[in-house]
Amino acid sequence: MKPVRIGLLGIGTVGGGTFEVLKRNREEITRRAGRHIEVAWVAARDLDRARAIVGPDIPVVADAVAAVSDPDVDVIVEVIGGTTVAKDAILRAIAHGKHIVTANKALLAIDGNEILSAANTHGVMIAFEAAVSGCIPIVKALREGLAANRIEWIAGIINGTSNYILSEMRTKKLPFAAALEAAQRLGYAEADPTFDIEGIDAAHKLTLLSAIGFGIPVQFDRAYIEGISKLTDRDITYAEELGYRIKLLGITRRAPTGIELRVHPTLIPAGRIIASVDGAMNAILVKSDAAGVTMYYGAGAGAEPTASAVIADIIEVTRLMQAEPEERVPFLAFQSDALSDVRILPMADVETSYYLRVRVKDVVGVLADIARTLADAGISVASMLQQGAGDADNETDIVILTHRTRERNFDAAIAKLVQMPTVRPEYARIRREDLG
Ligand code: HSE
């Protein structure tokens, strides 16, 4: 059978890994796909660097957008990232009837509805396993393995850089800045690490998980996003003393009044398996009605782990190329005319429990005053403790774990607490999830 010809957009970390694994495992991949998979050409900005990687036999082109209309290719593999050239190239490729494999979570989270609708119109496939957590086959699991289930929630460590930073802060008692520096030295964090540490990268991935978990359009603009840059090692230590670990979690949940879509630092019980996922690794929990809780773990980034997902998608596209569009698995797991418009809840309407640290004057009655303020707001305290004796200023930290309450309610109570003359205005408030 005629080989499948691919145009590879980008030969950086993921593109280079894809090229290498396609070459190394060529026979094994052909046995699975039923046809040879050939790289027809590579599009790259740095032509010399690209030629040094792919060798003399594969053409290297500079203009990715122009190249995608090549009648000699069946599949465009987009691993350049970003939302400009990548978007133009993908839309043009779709218009020319090419199937798409992409690792581009930002593009799909932001412009996914437009891109998926264009793919539907032109009857081509768009596959994006590599966009969420590198090698972990979570898109496949949600779209196919768990297809019998009503998904209740998905919660995951889906940014390796921030997980590495939090692990370093906890195990080596490092402040945030030092842990970030270590991540940068190891090449985990980008030179501008904002997307990693401010939760944006995790929110891109969570947006896609939410769409395929619940059969809703992608809605990145409705995601609540809070990163780890304001976390202190003090709170990590207190959380540990209380039997918790702090992780940057992406959480999406079907609540009675809408869907939660949120990324933020989260206290989770130290005994949960996901709490011990350290370093740059990713892990995702899915709670569904028939299967119960399932967990997916692996490398969320890196050349070959991400290439593993890219190539799995190329193989799937190869197998299904001759099938009619309605015989293929829908991009968002649900039939495109069956997507639901259930709303994404604003964070103020989300219900969860909390860790609160306030700094107070160590005087008689302060604990009672705090407890009364919370009780007046209908907030039930699960535990409350004073951390350490008062210091030279006669101030001390009070740490409170609450039961579940609505965020709006909790924020209103904090606003009252910090107006008390015995309570300092700075505080730490971290959400807490049981994940049971
Ligand atoms: N920057 C991402 C992370 C890797 O640290 O997990 C690619 O998504």
Side-chain angles (χ1 to χ4, degrees), residues 103 105 130-134 158-162 188-190 195-196 201 205 280 282 300-302 306:
K105 60 240 159 178
V132 186
S133 288
I158 48 181
N159 181 265
T161 303
S162 51
Y188 291 150
E190 307 291 322
F195 272 33
D196 292 314
D201 175 74
K205 296 167 186 164
N282 282 199
T306 312

Side-chain angles (χ1 to χ4, degrees), residues 79-421:
V79 287
I80 46 182
T83 52
T84 53
V85 175
K87 181 178 178 185
D88 293 345
I90 285 179
L91 286 175
R92 189 169 140 87
I94 290 172
H96 282 84
K98 313 297 179 193
H99 302 289
I100 307 293
V101 172
T102 177
N104 196 329
K105 60 240 159 178
L107 178 61
L108 289 181
I110 294 165
D111 292 316
N113 298 323
E114 178 188 351
I115 290 170
L116 298 178
S117 145
N120 263 332
T121 305
H122 290 87
V124 298
M125 287 174 272
I126 175 143
F128 54 91
E129 184 68 76
V132 186
S133 288
C135 69
I136 302 176
I138 185 64
V139 173
K140 191 104 179 153
L142 284 167
R143 290 204 320 183
E144 298 179 51
L146 295 173
N149 290 261
R150 181 174 164 87
I151 307 291
E152 294 173 13
W153 52 259
I154 303 168
I157 296 169
I158 48 181
N159 181 265
T161 303
S162 51
N163 199 48
Y164 175 82
I165 291 171
L166 292 178
S167 304
E168 289 289 287
M169 287 175 77
R170 184 180 66 81
T171 55
K172 301 194 179 144
K173 306 278 175 247
L174 293 180
F176 175 80
L180 170 60
E181 225 179 273
Q184 283 173 312
R185 261 199 315 276
L186 286 167
Y188 291 150
E190 307 291 322
D192 173 0
T194 317
F195 272 33
D196 292 314
I197 63 174
E198 297 304 350
I200 299 161
D201 175 74
H204 288 149
K205 296 167 186 164
L206 185 70
T207 298
L208 299 177
L209 292 178
S210 184
I212 58 176
F214 302 121
I216 57 173
V218 292
Q219 297 171 74
F220 174 70
D221 53 342
R222 306 254 166 94
Y224 173 82
I225 310 173
E226 185 182 312
I228 60 168
S229 60
K230 298 196 175 58
L231 269 185
T232 66
D233 41 337
R234 188 159 37 145
D235 292 310
I236 290 174
T237 304
Y238 288 162
E240 195 157 34
E241 285 169 12
L242 290 160
Y244 290 85
R245 297 263 167 92
I246 299 179
K247 295 290 182 188
L248 182 72
L249 284 193
I251 301 171
T252 185
R253 185 193 309 266
R254 198 194 292 269
T257 51
I259 285 174
E260 299 174 10
L261 183 59
R262 50 192 172 107
V263 172
H264 50 70
T266 312
L267 262 76
I268 51 180
R272 298 262 178 263
I273 299 172
I274 194 170
S276 51
V277 171
D278 277 332
M281 300 305 279
N282 282 199
I284 302 163
L285 295 172
V286 180
K287 172 72 168 42
S288 50
D289 64 346
V293 176
T294 50
M295 180 167 165
Y296 308 83
Y297 168 86
E304 293 207 358
T306 312
S308 163
V310 168
I311 296 169
D313 276 349
I314 298 174
I315 293 171
E316 175 165 338
V317 166
T318 301
R319 287 170 175 154
L320 291 174
M321 225 171 241
Q322 310 306 333
E324 292 301 320
E326 55 279 6
E327 290 166 355
R328 299 170 185 152
V329 181
F331 315 127
L332 293 186
F334 293 72
Q335 300 296 336
S336 57
D337 59 0
L339 293 187
S340 141
D341 61 358
V342 54
R343 75 178 185 132
I344 302 290
L345 287 179
M347 197 61 206
D349 289 343
V350 167
E351 216 177 80
T352 184
S353 44
Y354 295 89
Y355 162 106
L356 173 68
R357 170 182 49 80
V358 282
R359 188 138 186 93
V360 302
K361 285 203 195 316
D362 193 8
V363 293
V364 174
V366 64
L367 271 180
D369 290 344
I370 292 172
R372 194 172 315 113
T373 307
L374 293 175
D376 287 349
I379 297 166
S380 169
V381 172
S383 56
M384 186 180 209
L385 52 129
Q386 180 171 330
Q387 289 287 356
D391 61 12
D393 299 327
N394 203 29
E395 287 186 350
T396 186
D397 286 336
I398 301 285
V399 175
I400 296 159
L401 299 183
T402 76
H403 287 298
R404 291 173 72 81
T405 186
R406 197 159 282 195
E407 178 128 336
R408 176 182 287 111
N409 194 33
F410 192 63
D411 283 347
I414 296 179
K416 280 194 186 139
L417 273 185
V418 296
Q419 276 168 12
M420 289 166 39

